[in-house]
């Protein structure tokens, strides 16, 4: 068993009571791909007799869409995905994130960076150990976490299997505080998963390559490590990921039963015969949940889905 820098023992995730979470960003309504993530994490938590939390990751006012939080919560409710405990809003927790960023800066792990996006793009998109020499010290600065001495990362994802990354080579020093004076996703997610006692993250595989950054931050902050399961992200036949940016169609709340049945199919699960209600379907799905049956990858076209959850807006 490992310990925090303060010497406190860190129990491995499997020995703690399961806490899962769904953490949408309110950049638009939920689409079918988001339902797969929400449903998989809900079922995995309940099958382990755990708690399932919802956290609204509203730390990016530049991308937030008015009304999206209300729509997301309405869609979760109509699909029977009732969360345990209090709803958490990241926008109300900036000071907590700032304290962590300050601590990392004080101990020399994080440094101010003025490098522009265009300069970084010219250097392969990976931030080197030092900033561009001609950086203007008066311009707004981001805070980056130094990863040059990070050991190779290797973890076992419950769906995707072994995953390896070398942060210095594959990612570079990464932003934990944005130059717009906003906390970065990587920092906020790590602080909140720890603060909420989360043991298990089940989310889309588009975030798989973010996980080593989050694990490294957990280590630097003396926080517990989590278990991860990255479920496949739906892509069209051209390999384009289904997302709010690709105009994925919002879920139809009136077709919750059909949407959930289709989601069970995509997650490789059995479906109940003629479920009478959303609640009955979910109870059945919890009892029959098998994460081993979730496929690693999914690629399909919109016409393979029922009309209620067609992928792309026409
Ligand atoms: N807020 C992120 C999103 O909506 C998900 C974060 C996470 O699950 O770690 O893409």
């Amino acid at each position: 068993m490992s310990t925090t820098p303060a010497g406190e023992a860190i129990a491995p995730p499997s020995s703690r009571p399961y806490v899962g979470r769904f953490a949408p960003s309110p950049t638009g309504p939920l689409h079918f791909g988001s339902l797969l993530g929400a449903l998989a994490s809900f079922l995995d938590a309940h099958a382990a007799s755990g708690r399932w939390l919802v956290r609204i990751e509203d730390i990016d006012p530049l991308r937030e869409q008015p009304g999206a939080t209300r729509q997301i919560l309405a869609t979760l409710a109509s699909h029977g995905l009732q969360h345990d405990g209090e709803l958490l809003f990241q926008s109300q927790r900036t000071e907590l994130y700032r304290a962590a960023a300050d601590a990392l800066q004080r101990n020399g792990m994080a440094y101010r960076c003025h490098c522009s996006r265009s300069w970084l793009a010219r250097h392969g998109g990976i931030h080197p150990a030092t900033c561009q020499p001609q950086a203007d010290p008066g311009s707004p600065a981001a805070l980056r976490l130094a990863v040059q001495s990070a050991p190779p990362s290797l973890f076992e994802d419950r769906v995707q299997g072994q995953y390896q990354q070398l942060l210095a080579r594959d990612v570079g020093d990464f932003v934990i505080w944005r130059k717009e004076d906003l906390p970065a996703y990587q920092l906020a997610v790590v602080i909140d998963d720890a603060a909420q006692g989360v043991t298990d993250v089940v989310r889309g595989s588009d975030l798989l390559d973010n996980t080593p950054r989050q694990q490294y931050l957990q280590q630097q902050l003396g926080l517990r490590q989590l278990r991860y399961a990255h479920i496949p992200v739906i892509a069209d036949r051209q390999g384009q990921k289904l997302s709010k940016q690709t105009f994925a169609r919002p879920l139809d709340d009136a077709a919750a039963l059909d949407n959930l049945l289709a989601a069970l199919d995509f997650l490789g699960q059995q479906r109940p015969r003629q479920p009478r209600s959303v609640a009955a379907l979910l109870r059945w799905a919890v009892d029959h949940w098998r994460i081993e049956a979730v496929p690693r990858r999914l690629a399909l076209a919109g016409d393979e889905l029922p009309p209620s959850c067609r992928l792309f807006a026409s």
Side-chain angles (χ1 to χ4, degrees):
M1 194 179 293
S2 53
T3 57
T4 67
E8 180 207 350
I10 304 174
S14 54
S15 67
R16 290 184 268 138
Y18 188 117
V19 181
R21 52 48 159 202
F22 178 56
S25 305
T27 52
L30 296 184
H31 52 69
F32 188 71
S34 351
L35 179 65
L36 292 185
L39 180 63
S41 70
F42 176 93
L43 296 177
D44 200 54
H46 284 280
S49 307
R51 301 174 72 231
W52 186 69
L53 313 177
V54 172
R55 176 169 80 223
I56 303 296
E57 302 210 318
D58 53 348
I59 44 166
D60 190 350
L62 310 170
R63 286 182 57 222
E64 189 163 335
Q65 213 184 79
T69 296
R70 190 184 36 76
Q71 277 175 305
I72 289 171
L73 295 175
T75 296
L76 290 176
S78 65
H79 288 74
L81 302 174
Q82 169 99 41
H83 63 87
D84 298 306
E86 224 184 302
L87 194 63
L88 195 128
F89 289 85
Q90 287 193 324
S91 56
Q92 297 169 4
R93 300 167 60 78
T94 311
E95 290 320 309
L96 216 67
Y97 312 140
R98 198 185 293 278
D102 287 350
L104 290 167
Q105 197 180 1
R106 265 198 314 276
N107 73 17
M109 284 306 299
Y111 61 91
R112 283 165 61 80
C113 162
H114 299 271
C115 296
S116 64
R117 276 213 184 92
S118 53
W119 180 82
L120 209 50
R122 284 200 301 280
H123 289 76
I126 294 192
H127 195 276
T130 52
C131 289
Q132 65 181 120
Q134 70 278 29
D136 168 10
S139 62
L143 208 56
R144 281 186 192 273
L145 191 78
V147 298
Q148 303 305 316
S149 55
S153 142
L154 174 67
F155 74 96
E156 187 68 28
D157 186 89
R158 292 169 65 207
V159 174
Q160 302 296 328
Q162 255 193 15
Y163 186 76
Q164 297 188 39
Q165 198 179 62
L166 189 57
L167 282 171
R169 182 195 62 205
D170 303 330
V171 177
D173 292 352
F174 64 89
V175 173
I176 57 167
W177 201 272
R178 298 168 57 188
K179 71 170 181 339
E180 295 86 2
D181 197 23
L182 294 168
Y185 157 67
Q186 307 293 352
L187 180 67
V189 80
V190 160
I191 300 289
D192 285 340
D193 282 341
Q196 296 188 284
V198 168
T199 57
D200 286 77
V201 171
V202 179
R203 62 184 176 190
S205 59
D206 52 328
L207 290 169
L208 180 64
D209 68 349
N210 285 233
T211 306
R213 269 171 273 182
Q214 294 169 15
Q215 290 176 316
Y216 190 57
L217 262 172
Q218 286 155 0
Q219 285 158 22
Q220 298 310 310
L221 292 166
L223 302 173
R224 292 175 157 140
Q225 299 285 304
L226 315 178
R227 282 201 309 176
Y228 291 90
H230 286 87
I231 62 153
V233 171
I234 295 183
D236 64 13
R237 289 210 195 281
Q238 285 72 46
Q240 191 185 23
K241 174 193 141 204
L242 174 70
S243 73
K244 292 161 199 159
Q245 288 71 34
T246 52
F247 307 107
R249 185 185 287 233
L251 282 168
D252 176 1
D253 290 351
L257 212 49
D258 287 345
N259 294 341
L260 288 166
L261 285 170
L264 285 178
D265 288 347
F266 280 102
L267 291 170
Q269 308 296 305
Q270 295 175 48
R271 50 153 74 193
R273 252 182 246 139
Q274 297 173 341
R276 288 227 183 84
S277 64
V278 162
L281 178 149
L282 289 174
R283 271 197 304 276
W284 194 95
V286 166
D287 289 344
H288 293 82
W289 173 245
R290 286 180 60 241
I291 200 162
E292 322 77 78
V294 176
R296 279 188 179 191
R297 274 174 245 307
L298 285 179
L300 43 97
D303 55 10
E304 291 172 34
L305 284 169
S308 64
C309 41
R310 285 268 153 79
L311 300 185
F312 298 99
S314 40

